[in-house]
PDB file of all heavy atoms in Angstrom:
ATOM      1  N   ILE A 209      -5.050 -10.005   1.221  1.00 98.00           N
ATOM      2  CA  ILE A 209      -5.414  -8.982   0.248  1.00 98.00           C
ATOM      3  C   ILE A 209      -4.148  -8.432  -0.342  1.00 98.00           C
ATOM      4  O   ILE A 209      -3.323  -7.914   0.330  1.00 98.00           O
ATOM      5  CB  ILE A 209      -6.224  -7.840   0.926  1.00 98.00           C
ATOM      6  CG1 ILE A 209      -7.285  -8.331   1.960  1.00 98.00           C
ATOM      7  CG2 ILE A 209      -6.803  -6.891  -0.171  1.00 98.00           C
ATOM      8  CD1 ILE A 209      -8.335  -9.219   1.404  1.00 98.00           C
ATOM      9  N   TYR A 210      -3.916  -8.600  -1.678  1.00 98.00           N
ATOM     10  CA  TYR A 210      -2.769  -8.058  -2.286  1.00 98.00           C
ATOM     11  C   TYR A 210      -3.076  -6.873  -3.221  1.00 98.00           C
ATOM     12  O   TYR A 210      -3.908  -7.137  -4.147  1.00 98.00           O
ATOM     13  CB  TYR A 210      -2.013  -9.210  -3.027  1.00 98.00           C
ATOM     14  CG  TYR A 210      -0.839  -8.683  -3.854  1.00 98.00           C
ATOM     15  CD1 TYR A 210       0.395  -8.478  -3.125  1.00 98.00           C
ATOM     16  CD2 TYR A 210      -0.963  -8.313  -5.170  1.00 98.00           C
ATOM     17  CE1 TYR A 210       1.431  -7.980  -3.880  1.00 98.00           C
ATOM     18  CE2 TYR A 210       0.158  -7.854  -5.849  1.00 98.00           C
ATOM     19  CZ  TYR A 210       1.341  -7.594  -5.243  1.00 98.00           C
ATOM     20  OH  TYR A 210       2.408  -7.125  -5.876  1.00 98.00           O
ATOM     21  N   ILE A 211      -2.554  -5.744  -3.039  1.00 98.00           N
ATOM     22  CA  ILE A 211      -2.823  -4.588  -3.830  1.00 98.00           C
ATOM     23  C   ILE A 211      -1.587  -4.181  -4.693  1.00 98.00           C
ATOM     24  O   ILE A 211      -0.558  -3.896  -4.133  1.00 98.00           O
ATOM     25  CB  ILE A 211      -3.349  -3.452  -3.046  1.00 98.00           C
ATOM     26  CG1 ILE A 211      -4.497  -3.909  -2.079  1.00 98.00           C
ATOM     27  CG2 ILE A 211      -3.750  -2.227  -3.908  1.00 98.00           C
ATOM     28  CD1 ILE A 211      -4.978  -2.831  -1.142  1.00 98.00           C
ATOM     29  N   HIS A 212      -1.776  -4.207  -5.967  1.00 97.00           N
ATOM     30  CA  HIS A 212      -0.703  -3.961  -6.960  1.00 97.00           C
ATOM     31  C   HIS A 212      -0.261  -2.568  -6.954  1.00 97.00           C
ATOM     32  O   HIS A 212      -0.944  -1.652  -6.423  1.00 97.00           O
ATOM     33  CB  HIS A 212      -1.183  -4.434  -8.403  1.00 97.00           C
ATOM     34  CG  HIS A 212      -2.275  -3.524  -8.869  1.00 97.00           C
ATOM     35  ND1 HIS A 212      -2.138  -2.330  -9.466  1.00 97.00           N
ATOM     36  CD2 HIS A 212      -3.616  -3.763  -8.797  1.00 97.00           C
ATOM     37  CE1 HIS A 212      -3.239  -1.794  -9.768  1.00 97.00           C
ATOM     38  NE2 HIS A 212      -4.231  -2.619  -9.380  1.00 97.00           N
ATOM     39  N   GLY A 213       0.829  -2.236  -7.621  1.00 95.00           N
ATOM     40  CA  GLY A 213       1.273  -0.902  -7.802  1.00 95.00           C
ATOM     41  C   GLY A 213       0.925  -0.394  -9.226  1.00 95.00           C
ATOM     42  O   GLY A 213       0.163  -0.955  -9.972  1.00 95.00           O
ATOM     43  N   HIS A 214       1.543   0.784  -9.588  1.00 95.00           N
ATOM     44  CA  HIS A 214       1.295   1.372 -10.863  1.00 95.00           C
ATOM     45  C   HIS A 214       1.798   0.445 -12.001  1.00 95.00           C
ATOM     46  O   HIS A 214       2.727  -0.358 -11.785  1.00 95.00           O
ATOM     47  CB  HIS A 214       2.088   2.646 -10.918  1.00 95.00           C
ATOM     48  CG  HIS A 214       1.888   3.485 -12.171  1.00 95.00           C
ATOM     49  ND1 HIS A 214       0.613   3.840 -12.618  1.00 95.00           N
ATOM     50  CD2 HIS A 214       2.712   4.080 -13.081  1.00 95.00           C
ATOM     51  CE1 HIS A 214       0.649   4.553 -13.701  1.00 95.00           C
ATOM     52  NE2 HIS A 214       1.958   4.738 -14.025  1.00 95.00           N
ATOM     53  N   MET A 215       1.165   0.518 -13.140  1.00 91.00           N
ATOM     54  CA  MET A 215       1.499  -0.283 -14.323  1.00 91.00           C
ATOM     55  C   MET A 215       1.215  -1.732 -14.083  1.00 91.00           C
ATOM     56  O   MET A 215       1.736  -2.604 -14.818  1.00 91.00           O
ATOM     57  CB  MET A 215       2.985  -0.125 -14.743  1.00 91.00           C
ATOM     58  CG  MET A 215       3.417   1.300 -15.009  1.00 91.00           C
ATOM     59  SD  MET A 215       2.739   1.991 -16.479  1.00 91.00           S
ATOM     60  CE  MET A 215       3.635   1.095 -17.682  1.00 91.00           C
ATOM     61  N   SER A 216       0.268  -2.084 -13.218  1.00 94.00           N
ATOM     62  CA  SER A 216      -0.130  -3.439 -12.998  1.00 94.00           C
ATOM     63  C   SER A 216      -1.613  -3.464 -12.745  1.00 94.00           C
ATOM     64  O   SER A 216      -2.328  -2.483 -12.983  1.00 94.00           O
ATOM     65  CB  SER A 216       0.638  -4.095 -11.791  1.00 94.00           C
ATOM     66  OG  SER A 216       0.389  -5.447 -11.806  1.00 94.00           O
ATOM     67  N   ASN A 217      -2.159  -4.682 -12.476  1.00 92.00           N
ATOM     68  CA  ASN A 217      -3.572  -4.832 -12.151  1.00 92.00           C
ATOM     69  C   ASN A 217      -3.759  -6.239 -11.617  1.00 92.00           C
ATOM     70  O   ASN A 217      -2.727  -6.914 -11.284  1.00 92.00           O
ATOM     71  CB  ASN A 217      -4.365  -4.697 -13.486  1.00 92.00           C
ATOM     72  CG  ASN A 217      -3.845  -5.577 -14.629  1.00 92.00           C
ATOM     73  OD1 ASN A 217      -3.708  -6.773 -14.481  1.00 92.00           O
ATOM     74  ND2 ASN A 217      -3.463  -4.947 -15.779  1.00 92.00           N
ATOM     75  N   CYS A 218      -5.011  -6.620 -11.473  1.00 94.00           N
ATOM     76  CA  CYS A 218      -5.133  -7.994 -10.839  1.00 94.00           C
ATOM     77  C   CYS A 218      -4.596  -9.137 -11.681  1.00 94.00           C
ATOM     78  O   CYS A 218      -4.079 -10.096 -11.151  1.00 94.00           O
ATOM     79  CB  CYS A 218      -6.698  -8.262 -10.657  1.00 94.00           C
ATOM     80  SG  CYS A 218      -7.673  -8.382 -12.147  1.00 94.00           S
ATOM     81  N   TRP A 219      -4.633  -8.953 -13.019  1.00 93.00           N
ATOM     82  CA  TRP A 219      -4.010  -9.971 -13.868  1.00 93.00           C
ATOM     83  C   TRP A 219      -2.502  -9.992 -13.737  1.00 93.00           C
ATOM     84  O   TRP A 219      -1.902 -11.090 -13.696  1.00 93.00           O
ATOM     85  CB  TRP A 219      -4.377  -9.725 -15.382  1.00 93.00           C
ATOM     86  CG  TRP A 219      -5.885  -9.543 -15.567  1.00 93.00           C
ATOM     87  CD1 TRP A 219      -6.392  -8.337 -15.870  1.00 93.00           C
ATOM     88  CD2 TRP A 219      -6.902 -10.466 -15.396  1.00 93.00           C
ATOM     89  NE1 TRP A 219      -7.738  -8.448 -15.940  1.00 93.00           N
ATOM     90  CE2 TRP A 219      -8.155  -9.799 -15.609  1.00 93.00           C
ATOM     91  CE3 TRP A 219      -6.929 -11.772 -15.038  1.00 93.00           C
ATOM     92  CZ2 TRP A 219      -9.332 -10.461 -15.501  1.00 93.00           C
ATOM     93  CZ3 TRP A 219      -8.134 -12.411 -15.002  1.00 93.00           C
ATOM     94  CH2 TRP A 219      -9.323 -11.766 -15.199  1.00 93.00           C
ATOM     95  N   GLY A 220      -1.895  -8.827 -13.546  1.00 93.00           N
ATOM     96  CA  GLY A 220      -0.443  -8.790 -13.350  1.00 93.00           C
ATOM     97  C   GLY A 220      -0.007  -9.397 -11.945  1.00 93.00           C
ATOM     98  O   GLY A 220       1.116  -9.618 -11.717  1.00 93.00           O
ATOM     99  N   SER A 221      -1.036  -9.458 -11.062  1.00 95.00           N
ATOM    100  CA  SER A 221      -0.794 -10.012  -9.716  1.00 95.00           C
ATOM    101  C   SER A 221      -1.016 -11.493  -9.629  1.00 95.00           C
ATOM    102  O   SER A 221      -0.839 -12.104  -8.553  1.00 95.00           O
ATOM    103  CB  SER A 221      -1.713  -9.312  -8.740  1.00 95.00           C
ATOM    104  OG  SER A 221      -1.644  -7.887  -8.725  1.00 95.00           O
ATOM    105  N   SER A 222      -1.419 -12.130 -10.761  1.00 95.00           N
ATOM    106  CA  SER A 222      -1.893 -13.527 -10.648  1.00 95.00           C
ATOM    107  C   SER A 222      -0.835 -14.511 -10.211  1.00 95.00           C
ATOM    108  O   SER A 222      -1.097 -15.482  -9.563  1.00 95.00           O
ATOM    109  CB  SER A 222      -2.558 -13.965 -11.932  1.00 95.00           C
ATOM    110  OG  SER A 222      -1.612 -13.846 -13.023  1.00 95.00           O
ATOM    111  N   ILE A 224       1.600 -13.883  -8.088  1.00 95.00           N
ATOM    112  CA  ILE A 224       1.677 -13.779  -6.620  1.00 95.00           C
ATOM    113  C   ILE A 224       0.544 -14.467  -6.028  1.00 95.00           C
ATOM    114  O   ILE A 224       0.728 -15.169  -4.996  1.00 95.00           O
ATOM    115  CB  ILE A 224       1.711 -12.233  -6.278  1.00 95.00           C
ATOM    116  CG1 ILE A 224       3.113 -11.700  -6.700  1.00 95.00           C
ATOM    117  CG2 ILE A 224       1.450 -12.063  -4.802  1.00 95.00           C
ATOM    118  CD1 ILE A 224       3.138 -10.214  -6.515  1.00 95.00           C
ATOM    119  N   PHE A 236      -7.090 -12.384  -2.482  1.00 98.00           N
ATOM    120  CA  PHE A 236      -7.954 -11.390  -3.231  1.00 98.00           C
ATOM    121  C   PHE A 236      -6.984 -10.408  -3.852  1.00 98.00           C
ATOM    122  O   PHE A 236      -6.259  -9.741  -3.098  1.00 98.00           O
ATOM    123  CB  PHE A 236      -8.934 -10.737  -2.206  1.00 98.00           C
ATOM    124  CG  PHE A 236      -9.813  -9.701  -2.863  1.00 98.00           C
ATOM    125  CD1 PHE A 236     -10.476  -9.914  -3.989  1.00 98.00           C
ATOM    126  CD2 PHE A 236      -9.894  -8.433  -2.278  1.00 98.00           C
ATOM    127  CE1 PHE A 236     -11.274  -8.946  -4.624  1.00 98.00           C
ATOM    128  CE2 PHE A 236     -10.627  -7.478  -2.839  1.00 98.00           C
ATOM    129  CZ  PHE A 236     -11.349  -7.700  -3.998  1.00 98.00           C
ATOM    130  N   LEU A 237      -7.085 -10.293  -5.179  1.00 98.00           N
ATOM    131  CA  LEU A 237      -6.211  -9.410  -5.933  1.00 98.00           C
ATOM    132  C   LEU A 237      -6.983  -8.411  -6.748  1.00 98.00           C
ATOM    133  O   LEU A 237      -7.191  -8.509  -7.927  1.00 98.00           O
ATOM    134  CB  LEU A 237      -5.425 -10.339  -6.933  1.00 98.00           C
ATOM    135  CG  LEU A 237      -4.812 -11.647  -6.430  1.00 98.00           C
ATOM    136  CD1 LEU A 237      -4.296 -12.496  -7.576  1.00 98.00           C
ATOM    137  CD2 LEU A 237      -3.769 -11.460  -5.424  1.00 98.00           C
ATOM    138  N   PRO A 238      -7.387  -7.362  -6.047  1.00 97.00           N
ATOM    139  CA  PRO A 238      -8.227  -6.396  -6.736  1.00 97.00           C
ATOM    140  C   PRO A 238      -7.361  -5.516  -7.646  1.00 97.00           C
ATOM    141  O   PRO A 238      -6.183  -5.258  -7.475  1.00 97.00           O
ATOM    142  CB  PRO A 238      -8.745  -5.457  -5.587  1.00 97.00           C
ATOM    143  CG  PRO A 238      -7.724  -5.593  -4.546  1.00 97.00           C
ATOM    144  CD  PRO A 238      -7.263  -7.034  -4.623  1.00 97.00           C
ATOM    145  N   SER A 239      -7.988  -4.938  -8.732  1.00 96.00           N
ATOM    146  CA  SER A 239      -7.420  -3.914  -9.535  1.00 96.00           C
ATOM    147  C   SER A 239      -7.793  -2.573  -8.899  1.00 96.00           C
ATOM    148  O   SER A 239      -8.903  -2.398  -8.530  1.00 96.00           O
ATOM    149  CB  SER A 239      -7.907  -3.984 -10.957  1.00 96.00           C
ATOM    150  OG  SER A 239      -7.255  -5.026 -11.647  1.00 96.00           O
ATOM    151  N   GLN A 240      -6.809  -1.679  -8.804  1.00 97.00           N
ATOM    152  CA  GLN A 240      -7.205  -0.291  -8.429  1.00 97.00           C
ATOM    153  C   GLN A 240      -8.033   0.372  -9.477  1.00 97.00           C
ATOM    154  O   GLN A 240      -7.951  -0.012 -10.652  1.00 97.00           O
ATOM    155  CB  GLN A 240      -5.857   0.473  -8.119  1.00 97.00           C
ATOM    156  CG  GLN A 240      -5.068   0.013  -6.947  1.00 97.00           C
ATOM    157  CD  GLN A 240      -3.929   0.915  -6.595  1.00 97.00           C
ATOM    158  OE1 GLN A 240      -4.171   2.112  -6.351  1.00 97.00           O
ATOM    159  NE2 GLN A 240      -2.753   0.351  -6.505  1.00 97.00           N
ATOM    160  N   MET A 241      -8.766   1.353  -9.113  1.00 95.00           N
ATOM    161  CA  MET A 241      -9.627   2.033 -10.034  1.00 95.00           C
ATOM    162  C   MET A 241      -8.884   2.574 -11.255  1.00 95.00           C
ATOM    163  O   MET A 241      -7.805   3.291 -11.086  1.00 95.00           O
ATOM    164  CB  MET A 241     -10.321   3.232  -9.368  1.00 95.00           C
ATOM    165  CG  MET A 241     -11.446   3.933 -10.159  1.00 95.00           C
ATOM    166  SD  MET A 241     -12.448   5.084  -9.240  1.00 95.00           S
ATOM    167  CE  MET A 241     -11.238   6.410  -9.135  1.00 95.00           C
ATOM    168  N   GLY A 242      -9.325   2.228 -12.461  1.00 95.00           N
ATOM    169  CA  GLY A 242      -8.679   2.685 -13.648  1.00 95.00           C
ATOM    170  C   GLY A 242      -7.547   1.825 -14.110  1.00 95.00           C
ATOM    171  O   GLY A 242      -6.928   2.113 -15.184  1.00 95.00           O
ATOM    172  N   TYR A 243      -7.366   0.686 -13.507  1.00 95.00           N
ATOM    173  CA  TYR A 243      -6.323  -0.257 -13.860  1.00 95.00           C
ATOM    174  C   TYR A 243      -6.971  -1.569 -14.319  1.00 95.00           C
ATOM    175  O   TYR A 243      -8.031  -2.055 -13.814  1.00 95.00           O
ATOM    176  CB  TYR A 243      -5.387  -0.533 -12.712  1.00 95.00           C
ATOM    177  CG  TYR A 243      -4.449   0.499 -12.372  1.00 95.00           C
ATOM    178  CD1 TYR A 243      -4.868   1.665 -11.670  1.00 95.00           C
ATOM    179  CD2 TYR A 243      -3.151   0.623 -12.919  1.00 95.00           C
ATOM    180  CE1 TYR A 243      -4.013   2.712 -11.270  1.00 95.00           C
ATOM    181  CE2 TYR A 243      -2.323   1.682 -12.613  1.00 95.00           C
ATOM    182  CZ  TYR A 243      -2.708   2.745 -11.840  1.00 95.00           C
ATOM    183  OH  TYR A 243      -1.865   3.728 -11.585  1.00 95.00           O
ATOM    184  N   GLY A 244      -6.390  -2.257 -15.264  1.00 92.00           N
ATOM    185  CA  GLY A 244      -6.880  -3.520 -15.785  1.00 92.00           C
ATOM    186  C   GLY A 244      -8.289  -3.207 -16.362  1.00 92.00           C
ATOM    187  O   GLY A 244      -8.512  -2.359 -17.102  1.00 92.00           O
ATOM    188  N   LEU A 245      -9.322  -4.048 -15.934  1.00 88.00           N
ATOM    189  CA  LEU A 245     -10.686  -3.841 -16.389  1.00 88.00           C
ATOM    190  C   LEU A 245     -11.525  -3.082 -15.473  1.00 88.00           C
ATOM    191  O   LEU A 245     -12.718  -3.015 -15.631  1.00 88.00           O
ATOM    192  CB  LEU A 245     -11.325  -5.246 -16.607  1.00 88.00           C
ATOM    193  CG  LEU A 245     -10.599  -6.078 -17.725  1.00 88.00           C
ATOM    194  CD1 LEU A 245     -11.238  -7.471 -17.876  1.00 88.00           C
ATOM    195  CD2 LEU A 245     -10.571  -5.463 -19.095  1.00 88.00           C
ATOM    196  N   SER A 246     -10.872  -2.484 -14.416  1.00 91.00           N
ATOM    197  CA  SER A 246     -11.579  -1.647 -13.455  1.00 91.00           C
ATOM    198  C   SER A 246     -12.025  -0.385 -14.044  1.00 91.00           C
ATOM    199  O   SER A 246     -11.255   0.346 -14.818  1.00 91.00           O
ATOM    200  CB  SER A 246     -10.718  -1.406 -12.216  1.00 91.00           C
ATOM    201  OG  SER A 246     -11.378  -0.551 -11.261  1.00 91.00           O
ATOM    202  N   PRO A 250      -7.959   6.556 -12.633  1.00 95.00           N
ATOM    203  CA  PRO A 250      -7.079   6.557 -11.456  1.00 95.00           C
ATOM    204  C   PRO A 250      -7.140   7.823 -10.641  1.00 95.00           C
ATOM    205  O   PRO A 250      -7.180   8.862 -11.270  1.00 95.00           O
ATOM    206  CB  PRO A 250      -5.710   6.244 -11.990  1.00 95.00           C
ATOM    207  CG  PRO A 250      -5.917   5.747 -13.364  1.00 95.00           C
ATOM    208  CD  PRO A 250      -7.174   6.332 -13.901  1.00 95.00           C
ATOM    209  N   VAL A 253      -4.567   6.614  -5.408  1.00 97.00           N
ATOM    210  CA  VAL A 253      -5.037   6.056  -4.178  1.00 97.00           C
ATOM    211  C   VAL A 253      -5.852   6.985  -3.292  1.00 97.00           C
ATOM    212  O   VAL A 253      -5.718   7.142  -2.083  1.00 97.00           O
ATOM    213  CB  VAL A 253      -3.859   5.514  -3.322  1.00 97.00           C
ATOM    214  CG1 VAL A 253      -3.213   4.364  -3.998  1.00 97.00           C
ATOM    215  CG2 VAL A 253      -2.866   6.586  -2.951  1.00 97.00           C
ATOM    216  N   THR A 257     -10.698   5.048  -4.946  1.00 97.00           N
ATOM    217  CA  THR A 257      -9.910   3.799  -5.054  1.00 97.00           C
ATOM    218  C   THR A 257     -10.021   2.977  -3.752  1.00 97.00           C
ATOM    219  O   THR A 257     -10.254   1.779  -3.766  1.00 97.00           O
ATOM    220  CB  THR A 257      -8.480   4.073  -5.374  1.00 97.00           C
ATOM    221  OG1 THR A 257      -8.367   4.564  -6.686  1.00 97.00           O
ATOM    222  CG2 THR A 257      -7.584   2.860  -5.237  1.00 97.00           C
ATOM    223  N   ILE A 261     -11.890  -0.732  -3.273  1.00 97.00           N
ATOM    224  CA  ILE A 261     -11.176  -1.969  -2.791  1.00 97.00           C
ATOM    225  C   ILE A 261     -11.816  -2.456  -1.435  1.00 97.00           C
ATOM    226  O   ILE A 261     -11.992  -3.621  -1.290  1.00 97.00           O
ATOM    227  CB  ILE A 261      -9.633  -1.739  -2.664  1.00 97.00           C
ATOM    228  CG1 ILE A 261      -9.096  -1.473  -4.068  1.00 97.00           C
ATOM    229  CG2 ILE A 261      -8.993  -2.849  -1.889  1.00 97.00           C
ATOM    230  CD1 ILE A 261      -7.634  -1.228  -4.137  1.00 97.00           C
ATOM    231  N   TRP A 282      -1.445  -6.735   2.035  1.00 98.00           N
ATOM    232  CA  TRP A 282      -0.074  -6.517   1.501  1.00 98.00           C
ATOM    233  C   TRP A 282      -0.207  -5.658   0.258  1.00 98.00           C
ATOM    234  O   TRP A 282      -0.948  -5.858  -0.620  1.00 98.00           O
ATOM    235  CB  TRP A 282       0.547  -7.858   1.167  1.00 98.00           C
ATOM    236  CG  TRP A 282       1.803  -7.858   0.457  1.00 98.00           C
ATOM    237  CD1 TRP A 282       2.771  -6.872   0.339  1.00 98.00           C
ATOM    238  CD2 TRP A 282       2.392  -8.982  -0.322  1.00 98.00           C
ATOM    239  NE1 TRP A 282       3.848  -7.252  -0.448  1.00 98.00           N
ATOM    240  CE2 TRP A 282       3.608  -8.546  -0.834  1.00 98.00           C
ATOM    241  CE3 TRP A 282       1.944 -10.255  -0.559  1.00 98.00           C
ATOM    242  CZ2 TRP A 282       4.420  -9.338  -1.608  1.00 98.00           C
ATOM    243  CZ3 TRP A 282       2.748 -11.085  -1.376  1.00 98.00           C
ATOM    244  CH2 TRP A 282       3.988 -10.632  -1.868  1.00 98.00           C
ATOM    245  N   GLY A 283       0.546  -4.547   0.252  1.00 98.00           N
ATOM    246  CA  GLY A 283       0.538  -3.651  -0.909  1.00 98.00           C
ATOM    247  C   GLY A 283       1.894  -3.286  -1.360  1.00 98.00           C
ATOM    248  O   GLY A 283       2.841  -3.214  -0.537  1.00 98.00           O
ATOM    249  N   VAL A 284       2.056  -3.010  -2.614  1.00 98.00           N
ATOM    250  CA  VAL A 284       3.348  -2.620  -3.224  1.00 98.00           C
ATOM    251  C   VAL A 284       3.237  -1.324  -3.919  1.00 98.00           C
ATOM    252  O   VAL A 284       2.323  -1.039  -4.702  1.00 98.00           O
ATOM    253  CB  VAL A 284       3.801  -3.675  -4.197  1.00 98.00           C
ATOM    254  CG1 VAL A 284       5.134  -3.307  -4.893  1.00 98.00           C
ATOM    255  CG2 VAL A 284       3.967  -5.023  -3.529  1.00 98.00           C
ATOM    256  N   SER A 285       4.174  -0.419  -3.667  1.00 98.00           N
ATOM    257  CA  SER A 285       4.211   0.922  -4.252  1.00 98.00           C
ATOM    258  C   SER A 285       2.947   1.708  -3.957  1.00 98.00           C
ATOM    259  O   SER A 285       2.589   1.858  -2.846  1.00 98.00           O
ATOM    260  CB  SER A 285       4.465   0.724  -5.769  1.00 98.00           C
ATOM    261  OG  SER A 285       4.812   2.051  -6.415  1.00 98.00           O
ATOM    262  N   ARG A 286       2.228   2.208  -4.924  1.00 97.00           N
ATOM    263  CA  ARG A 286       1.061   2.926  -4.597  1.00 97.00           C
ATOM    264  C   ARG A 286       0.062   1.963  -3.939  1.00 97.00           C
ATOM    265  O   ARG A 286      -0.808   2.405  -3.204  1.00 97.00           O
ATOM    266  CB  ARG A 286       0.447   3.722  -5.790  1.00 97.00           C
ATOM    267  CG  ARG A 286      -0.186   2.929  -6.884  1.00 97.00           C
ATOM    268  CD  ARG A 286      -1.131   3.796  -7.834  1.00 97.00           C
ATOM    269  NE  ARG A 286      -0.308   4.723  -8.607  1.00 97.00           N
ATOM    270  CZ  ARG A 286      -0.984   5.676  -9.413  1.00 97.00           C
ATOM    271  NH1 ARG A 286      -2.284   5.736  -9.379  1.00 97.00           N
ATOM    272  NH2 ARG A 286      -0.255   6.427 -10.112  1.00 97.00           N
ATOM    273  N   GLY A 287       0.171   0.684  -4.222  1.00 98.00           N
ATOM    274  CA  GLY A 287      -0.607  -0.286  -3.552  1.00 98.00           C
ATOM    275  C   GLY A 287      -0.346  -0.387  -2.058  1.00 98.00           C
ATOM    276  O   GLY A 287      -1.234  -0.677  -1.228  1.00 98.00           O
ATOM    277  N   ALA A 288       0.929  -0.101  -1.659  1.00 98.00           N
ATOM    278  CA  ALA A 288       1.287  -0.039  -0.255  1.00 98.00           C
ATOM    279  C   ALA A 288       0.568   1.163   0.422  1.00 98.00           C
ATOM    280  O   ALA A 288       0.128   1.088   1.563  1.00 98.00           O
ATOM    281  CB  ALA A 288       2.769  -0.025  -0.005  1.00 98.00           C
ATOM    282  N   THR A 289       0.562   2.302  -0.273  1.00 98.00           N
ATOM    283  CA  THR A 289      -0.096   3.455   0.189  1.00 98.00           C
ATOM    284  C   THR A 289      -1.637   3.168   0.450  1.00 98.00           C
ATOM    285  O   THR A 289      -2.243   3.396   1.452  1.00 98.00           O
ATOM    286  CB  THR A 289       0.042   4.643  -0.667  1.00 98.00           C
ATOM    287  OG1 THR A 289       1.424   4.858  -0.965  1.00 98.00           O
ATOM    288  CG2 THR A 289      -0.564   5.933  -0.140  1.00 98.00           C
ATOM    289  N   CYS A 290      -2.211   2.473  -0.565  1.00 98.00           N
ATOM    290  CA  CYS A 290      -3.606   2.099  -0.583  1.00 98.00           C
ATOM    291  C   CYS A 290      -3.842   1.104   0.571  1.00 98.00           C
ATOM    292  O   CYS A 290      -4.792   1.289   1.426  1.00 98.00           O
ATOM    293  CB  CYS A 290      -3.955   1.482  -1.842  1.00 98.00           C
ATOM    294  SG  CYS A 290      -5.778   1.230  -1.981  1.00 98.00           S
ATOM    295  N   ALA A 291      -2.984   0.075   0.811  1.00 98.00           N
ATOM    296  CA  ALA A 291      -3.120  -0.826   1.829  1.00 98.00           C
ATOM    297  C   ALA A 291      -3.069  -0.183   3.215  1.00 98.00           C
ATOM    298  O   ALA A 291      -3.763  -0.518   4.103  1.00 98.00           O
ATOM    299  CB  ALA A 291      -2.111  -1.943   1.720  1.00 98.00           C
ATOM    300  N   GLN A 308       5.067  -2.388   1.230  1.00 98.00           N
ATOM    301  CA  GLN A 308       6.348  -2.546   0.553  1.00 98.00           C
ATOM    302  C   GLN A 308       6.503  -1.406  -0.536  1.00 98.00           C
ATOM    303  O   GLN A 308       5.695  -1.151  -1.364  1.00 98.00           O
ATOM    304  CB  GLN A 308       6.272  -3.860  -0.250  1.00 98.00           C
ATOM    305  CG  GLN A 308       7.435  -4.141  -1.119  1.00 98.00           C
ATOM    306  CD  GLN A 308       7.272  -5.494  -1.848  1.00 98.00           C
ATOM    307  OE1 GLN A 308       6.756  -6.428  -1.377  1.00 98.00           O
ATOM    308  NE2 GLN A 308       7.868  -5.662  -3.046  1.00 98.00           N
ATOM    309  N   HIS A 397      13.310   0.251  -6.278  1.00 96.00           N
ATOM    310  CA  HIS A 397      11.893   0.230  -6.006  1.00 96.00           C
ATOM    311  C   HIS A 397      11.264  -1.183  -6.093  1.00 96.00           C
ATOM    312  O   HIS A 397      10.280  -1.551  -5.449  1.00 96.00           O
ATOM    313  CB  HIS A 397      11.198   1.144  -6.957  1.00 96.00           C
ATOM    314  CG  HIS A 397       9.740   1.443  -6.727  1.00 96.00           C
ATOM    315  ND1 HIS A 397       9.322   2.054  -5.492  1.00 96.00           N
ATOM    316  CD2 HIS A 397       8.599   1.138  -7.434  1.00 96.00           C
ATOM    317  CE1 HIS A 397       7.983   2.134  -5.616  1.00 96.00           C
ATOM    318  NE2 HIS A 397       7.577   1.617  -6.662  1.00 96.00           N
TER     319      HIS A 397
END
Side-chain angles (χ1 to χ4, degrees):
I209 316 299
Y210 175 82
I211 307 176
H212 66 84
H214 186 53
M215 303 293 287
S216 190
N217 53 54
C218 65
W219 310 109
S221 306
S222 58
I224 289 170
F236 175 52
L237 315 170
S239 287
Q240 294 188 52
M241 189 171 74
Y243 288 82
L245 299 178
S246 178
V253 296
T257 292
I261 293 179
W282 172 19
V284 176
S285 191
R286 73 164 69 187
T289 307
C290 190
Q308 178 180 327
H397 190 61

